[in-house]
Amino acid sequence: MDGLFDGCKVLLAPMAGVSDVAFRALCLEQGADLGYTEMVSAKGLSYANEKTRHLLALAEGERRVAVQLFGHEPDVMAAQAAWVEDEMGCALAYVDINMGCPARKIVSRGDGSALMKDPGLASAIVGAVAGAVEHPVTVKFRRGWAEGDECAPEFARRMEAAGAAAVTVHGRYAQQLYCGRADWGTIARVKQAVAVPVVGNGDVRCGADAVRMGEQTGCDAVMVARAAEGNPWVFASVQAALAGRPDPAPPTVAERIAMARRHARLLSEREGRNIVRMRKHAAWYLTGLPGAAAARGRINGCMTLADFDAVFDELLEVADAHGATAAERR
């Protein structure tokens, strides 16, 4: 599977509550080569849960997507991976297994990064899924479970032996959650430990970071996560840096507000009343803009597309006035 990431060097991470169809569409437009679904519960799929199945929808303009499943029962994971493959056909890039999520509600059930504490079970899951589908199976995990106890290289070897076609490594321990710095040395050590492709994840915030990660780790692809929240333009920066081109100019205030407005509209068209999910996206888009702090309370009360548009209109007026005032002072 050496060619698994040919043409797909810049990946949008699977982020629960974030990587939906609207967000993926905007990130793909800005340069992401491939997106992942939000993590999908295999158990939820087994119950024919429509809310869970909804997560498998393709974004506008999306030809292929990686589907990330989570769970701790090998037979359930295998059966639902096979169902996903049948359901999605050529739209499925590959099946990714989540062994990295550190959220308490996930690990308390033995899912996500809790599987790093039981490599035998983790191997059984990978083996069962790989035996049930024809598409490649990949695994995403962390540096280790407990801080100071790095097990990622050996864990990666076991996942490879079980049938993983590639691995993604987040350079933090599960117990760190998202605090501290990601250790890219872990990614380099995993790359040295396995023959399958390795994706680097953690603290890629701009194009220069992506270049440094590649140079320091030898990873086959880079994954962007939180840096894309409210900033899909980060993918243009990463693509430019990897190609040796100058960094694109950052978006203007008007462009940021216009993107936030479009994001809200995409969510409204797709999910109706679930547009309340836009509240966190709006806060991310508007961070640091004139008037954003005062607008945060109004954003948290938005219930409709019209509500969001009203806030965006006000912020654009504030930004225009702020720009005019700054120009007068000069």
Side-chain angles (χ1 to χ4, degrees), residues 170-247:
H170 183 134
R172 289 181 175 84
Y173 296 107
Q175 289 184 344
Q176 282 183 271
L177 300 179
Y178 299 97
C179 298
R181 293 176 62 102
D183 187 310
W184 291 353
T186 297
I187 302 168
R189 289 185 284 276
V190 169
K191 178 63 180 173
Q192 294 169 357
V194 298
V196 295
V198 175
V199 180
N201 178 218
D203 293 350
V204 176
R205 300 186 179 94
C206 63
D209 288 341
V211 171
R212 283 193 295 271
M213 175 181 276
E215 293 173 345
Q216 292 177 23
T217 71
C219 63
D220 300 276
V222 296
M223 179 174 282
V224 180
R226 289 177 295 163
E229 294 173 345
N231 182 31
W233 300 275
V234 68
F235 291 101
S237 173
V238 171
Q239 291 286 10
L242 293 178
R245 301 191 304 268
D247 199 33

